[in-house]
Amino acid sequence: MNNKPIKLFSASAGAGKTYTLTLEYIKLALQEVESRGYFRRILAVTFTNKAAEEMKKRIIDFLYLIAKNDHLKISNPQKFRESNQIIDRILSDYKNDKKNIDKIELIQRANQALKQILQDYGLFSVMTIDAFVQKLSQSFIEELNLPDQFEVNLDSKQLLNELMDDILDKINLIPNSILKQAILNFSMNEVDEDRSWNQLRESLQKFLLILFEEEYIEKEFLINQFDLEDFLTIEKQINAFSHHSIEKLIESSKNIIQLIESHNLEEADFTQGSNGPVADFHKYIRNPQLNGNNYSYMNKAIQSGIWTAS
């Protein structure tokens, strides 16, 4: 195996990254000679379709400048100088890499590579990341359990917008659906947590971001064993348990306050005084929540075992 160091090019916009990467591609494409073209072994990945098309054009243009070096000397002196600059740069890099290729050989290889690319343009692999993922996925449709026709989209914001449109369309088509009930439950939960129901779409999109988390993807096959009605049932069970737990905790908090008062004790007798765990019991009775973070002094007293003032 031929292990080569990774080359990293870092530069600001307009600093010539595309020029440098184009030269790197050509250096790879011309370093070996194959009957069907060494370019088939090279993959160049970009972020946008525009960048992919620009790089393809640059590669073709540069190969043409190298291949037609002799003709350009007479027909276009300016292009001839540009051709020589490219050739000199590539030959210099080859020399540093101990590759024995002279100018005549390089021109011949460029001419052959240009013809091979134009003949098999579909195998000219300069593409976006999502196009590469889709091409790779198509090779494993059965293993990945994918449909025959699918499209890879890495824009999560666009996907969520489309998903929300589909959800709302389904609700409009079937007004009394289980899906509508699930959305209503979500809306009521938003109101209960003092969030505006007017921002339902935005709240749902934030919630649905879980679909792109690795932890969810790992458990997706387990989740898919349940249907929407199952989740509504589970939600009712969780809500019933939460309501029961809150009632029991309110009762326990009242009993604790009653016990403290029956012994003529005050908040000042306990750690942190009016801001401490006893105050948390009062706060819980006024506004019960199953969120331990809202009762930090109570948690601290429970964990440390220290309740009394020093």
Side-chain angles (χ1 to χ4, degrees):
M1 183 175 178
N2 188 12
N3 293 319
K4 295 183 179 179
I6 294 173
K7 291 184 179 180
L8 177 65
F9 301 100
S10 178
S12 57
K17 289 193 297 293
T18 305
Y19 178 89
T20 301
L21 293 173
T22 300
L23 285 179
E24 288 299 314
Y25 182 99
I26 291 174
K27 280 161 52 181
L28 286 172
L30 302 185
Q31 70 179 356
E32 301 284 349
V33 177
E34 287 191 4
S35 58
R36 300 178 66 190
Y38 191 78
F39 77 96
R40 293 165 176 253
R41 297 174 177 265
I42 306 172
L43 169 66
V45 177
T46 67
F47 283 106
T48 66
N49 288 317
K50 183 180 178 182
E53 290 305 314
E54 181 186 356
M55 191 167 180
K56 279 185 173 181
K57 184 179 182 303
R58 285 281 191 98
I59 291 168
I60 297 295
D61 288 347
F62 279 24
L63 284 173
Y64 177 83
L65 287 174
I66 298 171
K68 303 301 178 184
N69 179 266
D70 292 336
H71 300 285
L72 292 173
K73 185 175 184 179
I74 300 172
S75 62
N76 194 328
Q78 183 178 347
K79 290 291 184 183
F80 176 68
R81 287 193 294 273
E82 187 178 349
S83 172
N84 279 334
Q85 287 175 355
I86 294 170
I87 291 171
D88 290 344
R89 168 77 177 272
I90 292 174
L91 290 177
S92 174
D93 289 347
Y94 277 163
K95 185 177 180 180
N96 291 335
D97 293 338
K98 296 184 171 33
K99 289 187 173 68
N100 237 345
I101 301 173
D102 58 25
K103 182 176 180 179
I104 295 174
E105 176 68 17
L106 185 69
I107 291 172
Q108 289 175 349
R109 291 188 181 188
N111 190 48
Q112 183 183 13
L114 182 60
K115 291 177 181 177
Q116 290 169 333
I117 289 175
L118 295 177
Q119 286 172 359
D120 289 317
Y121 196 78
L123 300 174
F124 186 22
S125 297
V126 180
M127 62 187 73
T128 59
I129 296 172
D130 44 337
F132 170 65
V133 172
Q134 181 159 347
K135 186 175 181 180
L136 187 64
S137 301
Q138 284 173 339
S139 303
F140 302 96
I141 285 179
E142 291 185 5
E143 290 85 350
L144 297 173
N145 196 26
L146 295 171
D148 292 336
Q149 299 295 326
F150 70 93
E151 179 183 355
V152 175
N153 190 335
L154 301 182
D155 186 347
S156 59
K157 186 176 180 180
Q158 179 187 338
L159 286 172
L160 285 177
N161 277 324
E162 292 176 0
L163 179 59
M164 282 303 308
D165 290 340
D166 288 343
I167 290 172
L168 296 177
D169 285 343
K170 286 181 179 179
I171 291 174
N172 290 330
L173 288 172
I174 313 173
N176 297 320
S177 65
I178 297 174
L179 179 60
K180 181 179 180 180
Q181 186 58 52
I183 298 297
L184 285 174
N185 290 355
F186 182 86
S187 303
M188 293 304 296
N189 187 63
E190 289 292 288
V191 174
D192 289 342
E193 296 186 8
D194 296 326
R195 289 193 285 266
S196 174
W197 65 269
N198 289 325
Q199 297 177 337
L200 174 62
R201 185 184 181 99
E202 181 182 343
S203 297
L204 271 172
Q205 285 181 322
K206 287 181 179 178
F207 174 75
L208 291 172
L209 284 172
I210 192 176
L211 298 173
F212 303 102
E213 293 179 3
E214 187 175 342
E215 187 176 354
Y216 169 82
I217 294 170
E218 290 175 351
K219 296 180 173 60
E220 185 179 6
F221 74 99
L222 293 173
I223 295 171
N224 288 339
Q225 296 176 31
F226 300 91
D227 57 27
L228 193 52
E229 196 167 358
D230 293 328
F231 284 110
L232 286 175
T233 302
I234 293 169
E235 182 186 34
K236 288 179 182 177
Q237 292 171 347
I238 292 173
N239 288 337
F241 177 78
S242 297
H243 183 70
H244 175 72
S245 299
I246 287 173
E247 286 184 339
K248 295 295 288 183
L249 287 169
I250 290 174
E251 183 183 350
S252 297
S253 297
K254 287 180 177 179
N255 290 337
I256 291 170
I257 296 298
Q258 187 177 359
L259 180 64
I260 290 171
E261 291 175 348
S262 69
H263 286 78
N264 297 320
L265 295 173
E266 299 178 355
E267 289 182 350
D269 296 319
F270 295 88
T271 180
Q272 300 296 325
S274 60
N275 294 320
V278 176
D280 279 347
F281 286 120
H282 285 292
K283 184 167 69 172
Y284 186 81
I285 293 170
R286 291 192 303 269
N287 183 27
Q289 295 180 16
L290 294 177
N291 184 353
N293 294 329
N294 293 334
Y295 313 101
S296 57
Y297 290 114
M298 187 193 301
N299 285 330
K300 186 175 181 181
I302 292 171
Q303 291 172 7
S304 66
I306 300 174
W307 291 83
T308 57
S310 55

